[in-house]
Amino acid sequence: MDIDRIVEEWKLLYELGIAISLTTDLKKLLHVVLTAVTIGDGLGFNRAAIFLYNRPNNTMDGVLGVAPDSIQEATTIWNSLRNLDIRGRMASWLLNEINIEAQLNSNFNKTISKSRISLQKDTIFKNINQKQAFVFDASNLGGDDQILRELNFEQFAFAPLISREQPIGAIVADNFYNKRPIEQDDITTLFLFANQSAIAIENLMSIETYKNMSKRLIEEQQNLIHQKHIFNLGRAVADITHEIKNALIGAIGFLDRARKISADSNPQVYQYLEIVKKELDRVYNLTLDINRYAKGQNRSVKKLFDLEKLILDTIEAIKNINSSNIQFITDLSEFAKYLYGDPDQIKQVLINLIKNSTEAIANKKDGLIKISTYKEDKFIVITVEDNGGGIDIKFLPYVFKPFYSTKTHGTGLGLSIVREIVQEHNGVISLDNFVGKGAKFIIKIPNLVEEEKNEKKDNGSG
Amino acid sequence: MKKKIMVVDDEESIRFLYEEELKDEGYDVVSYPDALSAIDDFDNQKPDLVLLDIAMPKMSGLDALRILKEKSPDTPIIMSTAYSHYKQDFSTWIADAYIVKSPDLTELKEKIKELLKLNN
Ligand SMILES: Nc1ncnc2c1ncn2[C@@H]1O[C@H](COP(=O)(O)OP(=O)(O)OP(=O)(O)O)[C@@H](O)[C@H]1O
Ligand SMILES: [Mg+2]
């Protein structure tokens, strides 16, 4: 090896080194490396491929292959490169002018990037542990190197990618098109270049893992902060409502006494106090709602109850306080007459849903609320449907969230409580939303009575 | 003879409300703003029934419940609080009854009547 050649070689490695160190994206780096291996002014191989070591699977995974797909294509590329004369500006050419798309689309790459070679089996890739590059020929291929045989690798160079003493992969390259024999000098240069590349590849891989890791960490941390925030908020809300509730117990208690006293003696005072009571009752009920939510649901008292009656009674009660022109329709199946659950809680569910519906149709002349029940598989289904225009798509993700409300006087707890209660009954709630038309809330609660009966039947016969 | 009820609650207006309402029902009522003073005065007053708030500063109603039940196992004690989740708390099980505070005292009055009748 004469001095000129050595100087040339070092200049080349130096320029390639610059290109590699300036690449910050792992995928692009792989293209830069293999292009450098394959261009005439670079290492001058015809075809090259990178395999990376997959530690968990103990396999070598083909990640990229760079090669023209035919001798014609090869000649065209070489001619155009020859005219380009990129010597001296190799780094900037590699960084800016590689046709990544074309490289990805080659048949060679498609075959390479599909390949997984197990290191448990008979393969030349076992040589990644050697700290040197080799010239192999087809007779060296192992039983599991079918992929290289398919791609007609005959004489080829094999260079392990070693970073910090650890093998991270290998480069395989040959002169498939011009059949130029691979010489010891080619191998030496490839080995040096492979080492340079390996460090860069590993660095970018660790940066990538690190990026993913820190992204996950940041997400998790934000989640935690959010949860803690919600938790603190819940605590604060519970404390405040406790105070408000206690204050109201005294206030309403004495108000009742005052009302009773004034009932006969001063009808006007009585009437005023009546109004004060109505308003305070509203606040008081609100504290009960918030408490139920913030402190978690009271253990429910479940039993078999007459769902049909509960629905009809609830509608009646709501009609009495809501003297507007809302029309109620019911379609209650005899197969869903009874439900196993907590009647008070189910009543709360109905009230909250119907209240929302009445609010949605408040400004309509032909407001309609339809309540249906039916049996479906192992579920009792209750639906509450209205023609109040439905929910704006952009609000949909939030409606079940506590304290979310689009109403001036809403607390935004209605649907959260509904969902809590449904979950407490091991049921599910869903929403059919018809934007511009109306909303239909669908509640499915396991029909435990039926199951119990079936179990008994099973036991009896078995 | 009038039955005597001992009311323990740190909220002044609730205490006063219980006093007024229970007096109207025909009971003698003595009331205390904290559990310690109630326990101190217990032997002196010999109440027929105790109405005990749970959430109080200094000594909680749950501790007071245990002490009073040791002193006088037969005196019925009604625990009262703003939340119903205390029902799940074992330490309230030795109480004779349990009510959730509300401006509507009907339930409380019924419980009192019931317990006093039982104790006769
Ligand atoms: N039937 C419905 N039609 C249209 N929008 C609805 C309907 N039900 C709920 N929404 C929307 O979902 C939001 C949340 O409902 P939710 O019952 O949880 O709270 P709210 O009704 O605003 O307040 P609260 O029930 O506490 O008084 C409502 O503000 C409303 O925008
Ligand atoms: Mg609502």
Side-chain angles (χ1 to χ4, degrees):
Chain A
M1 204 190 247
D2 57 67
I3 290 290
D4 278 356
R5 227 198 123 157
I6 292 175
V7 172
E8 274 303 303
E9 191 190 330
W10 282 105
K11 263 166 75 183
L12 174 66
L13 284 173
Y14 172 73
E15 278 211 56
L16 296 180
I18 291 178
I20 286 172
S21 63
L22 288 176
T23 311
T24 50
D25 175 82
L26 181 62
K27 288 213 177 88
K28 185 164 176 203
L29 177 63
L30 299 175
H31 286 270
V32 169
V33 168
L34 289 188
T35 308
V37 173
T38 49
I39 54 174
D41 283 326
L43 275 63
F45 286 94
N46 290 180
R47 307 190 296 184
I50 289 186
F51 292 78
L52 289 180
Y53 178 42
N54 181 334
R55 196 173 292 274
N57 297 346
N58 197 26
T59 54
M60 293 295 288
D61 299 349
V63 288
L64 182 66
V66 169
D69 269 339
S70 64
I71 185 89
Q72 286 85 353
E73 200 186 323
T75 327
T76 324
I77 292 176
W78 289 328
N79 287 339
S80 66
L81 285 182
R82 195 165 304 133
N83 297 338
L84 267 175
D85 186 21
I86 57 175
R87 244 169 311 171
R89 54 178 198 96
M90 178 92 79
S92 86
W93 187 86
L94 283 173
L95 284 173
N96 301 313
E97 296 181 36
I98 298 176
N99 189 341
I100 288 180
E101 200 70 6
Q103 289 186 343
L104 286 176
N105 284 331
S106 76
N107 293 328
F108 184 68
N109 177 54
K110 281 176 190 155
T111 313
I112 290 289
S113 55
K114 273 201 299 264
S115 59
R116 305 267 171 284
I117 295 157
S118 167
L119 287 177
Q120 238 100 345
K121 298 192 178 147
D122 178 24
T123 164
I124 52 149
F125 283 100
K126 290 205 160 126
N127 291 305
I128 53 166
N129 289 309
Q130 311 274 343
K131 288 185 180 126
Q132 69 175 96
F134 302 90
V135 185
F136 287 136
D137 58 43
S139 70
N140 297 105
L141 288 176
D144 222 50
D145 295 327
Q146 193 49 35
I147 188 94
L148 296 183
R149 232 173 258 122
E150 248 170 59
L151 289 167
N152 294 311
F153 272 82
E154 277 163 18
Q155 194 204 31
F156 63 93
F158 178 97
L161 291 163
I162 295 170
S163 173
R164 282 183 259 167
E165 307 279 301
Q166 294 294 318
I168 64 159
I171 295 179
V172 177
D174 77 351
N175 290 324
F176 178 73
Y177 291 110
N178 62 13
K179 305 286 180 217
R180 184 172 66 81
I182 299 170
E183 287 164 17
Q184 192 52 48
D185 282 351
D186 298 328
I187 289 293
T188 319
T189 320
L190 180 63
F191 182 64
L192 292 174
F193 179 60
N195 280 346
Q196 250 182 337
S197 309
I199 295 165
I201 291 172
E202 211 219 345
N203 280 344
L204 289 189
M205 285 199 305
S206 349
I207 287 176
E208 210 134 292
T209 0
Y210 173 75
K211 266 192 208 151
N212 285 340
M213 236 165 62
S214 56
K215 204 173 131 201
R216 255 209 316 273
L217 275 178
I218 289 170
E219 274 168 14
E220 257 163 43
Q221 199 179 10
Q222 276 167 350
N223 249 338
L224 272 179
I225 292 172
H226 186 66
Q227 275 170 16
K228 205 170 153 204
H229 187 74
I230 297 268
F231 181 78
N232 285 341
L233 187 71
R235 284 272 292 273
V237 167
D239 287 350
I240 295 167
T241 43
H242 177 94
E243 291 303 312
I244 297 176
K245 191 184 162 187
N246 271 345
L248 286 177
I249 289 174
I252 297 173
F254 279 107
L255 186 63
D256 278 341
R257 290 180 68 79
R259 262 170 73 239
K260 269 178 220 145
I261 294 167
S262 66
D264 302 322
S265 61
N266 196 332
Q268 199 176 11
V269 170
Y270 180 81
Q271 192 201 343
Y272 293 165
L273 293 182
E274 189 83 328
I275 295 167
V276 176
K277 173 159 169 70
K278 207 179 99 202
E279 294 302 321
L280 287 186
D281 274 348
R282 223 175 61 167
V283 185
Y284 181 74
N285 284 329
L286 195 64
T287 64
L288 295 185
D289 269 4
I290 295 177
N291 249 315
R292 194 198 288 274
Y293 189 80
K295 282 273 172 180
Q297 202 59 42
N298 303 338
R299 263 311 119 71
S300 50
V301 188
K302 293 191 182 119
K303 58 183 186 199
L304 190 66
F305 69 93
D306 189 337
L307 176 64
E308 186 181 292
K309 184 171 184 310
L310 184 93
I311 292 175
L312 294 175
D313 287 352
T314 307
I315 293 175
E316 212 43 51
I318 288 174
K319 269 190 192 160
N320 283 340
I321 43 174
N322 229 310
S323 53
S324 61
N325 39 5
I326 297 168
Q327 201 192 332
F328 282 92
I329 306 179
T330 51
D331 179 7
L332 310 175
S333 158
E334 58 174 309
F335 301 108
K337 185 166 160 56
Y338 295 98
L339 177 70
Y340 184 82
D342 182 331
D344 288 338
Q345 292 189 339
I346 298 297
K347 186 173 181 179
Q348 183 79 59
V349 164
L350 288 168
I351 290 175
N352 288 9
L353 290 180
I354 295 173
K355 184 169 156 274
N356 280 346
S357 289
T358 56
E359 284 159 356
I361 56 184
N363 299 323
K364 283 187 69 149
K365 276 207 190 80
D366 52 353
L368 199 79
I369 299 175
K370 182 177 173 186
I371 297 161
S372 323
T373 58
Y374 52 93
K375 209 179 110 191
E376 185 186 273
D377 300 330
K378 289 183 170 156
F379 293 95
I380 295 288
V381 186
I382 309 169
T383 70
V384 176
E385 190 178 354
D386 63 59
N387 58 352
I391 299 165
D392 195 323
I393 293 280
K394 64 175 184 280
F395 299 139
L396 265 185
Y398 309 111
V399 293
F400 285 102
K401 298 236 155 83
F403 305 115
Y404 174 80
S405 176
T406 55
K407 298 165 193 169
T408 350
H409 295 295
T411 48
L413 285 171
L415 287 177
S416 318
I417 290 169
V418 166
R419 195 174 59 171
E420 291 265 306
I421 293 177
V422 171
Q423 278 169 357
E424 162 86 27
H425 284 76
N426 300 316
V428 285
I429 180 162
S430 57
L431 163 64
D432 275 355
N433 186 41
F434 308 99
V435 181
K437 297 205 179 97
K440 179 181 184 181
F441 286 85
I442 303 151
I443 289 164
K444 294 185 181 181
I445 291 174
N447 189 7
L448 293 177
V449 186
E450 196 73 4
E451 261 170 36
E452 230 167 66
K453 261 192 227 154
N454 286 341
E455 264 166 34
K456 272 183 200 145
K457 243 186 258 160
D458 288 350
N459 290 343
S461 65
Chain B
M1 215 188 80
K2 273 189 186 177
K3 298 277 183 184
K4 187 188 278 180
I5 297 178
M6 177 179 247
V7 172
V8 191
D9 199 308
D10 59 321
E11 300 254 355
E12 193 188 339
S13 39
I14 292 184
R15 213 162 54 231
F16 186 39
L17 176 68
Y18 285 165
E19 274 176 32
E20 297 286 279
E21 289 277 318
L22 295 178
K23 275 180 194 157
D24 284 0
E25 293 288 300
Y27 302 114
D28 265 341
V29 184
V30 283
S31 71
Y32 304 82
D34 63 88
L36 280 178
S37 55
I39 291 169
D40 279 351
D41 210 24
F42 184 85
D43 291 334
N44 188 21
Q45 294 288 349
K46 297 191 183 59
D48 298 287
L49 184 145
V50 182
L51 177 58
L52 195 54
D53 182 28
I54 291 183
M56 288 185 292
K58 286 196 253 188
M59 183 192 273
S60 93
L62 297 178
D63 294 330
L65 170 67
R66 216 168 307 120
I67 295 170
L68 290 178
K69 274 293 173 189
E70 272 165 24
K71 256 185 194 298
S72 168
D74 295 333
T75 311
I77 298 181
I78 300 177
M79 303 301 290
S80 94
T81 188
Y83 303 116
S84 46
H85 67 256
Y86 277 105
K87 264 181 195 162
Q88 264 91 51
D89 188 328
F90 290 106
S91 47
T92 61
W93 287 12
I94 51 168
D96 298 82
Y98 177 95
I99 58 136
V100 178
K101 269 188 205 173
S102 150
D104 182 357
L105 301 186
T106 323
E107 191 194 342
L108 172 67
K109 288 173 189 164
E110 263 159 28
K111 271 274 142 58
I112 292 174
K113 225 177 268 167
E114 206 182 294
L115 289 172
L116 288 177
K117 211 179 281 165
L118 271 181
N119 241 32
N120 268 348

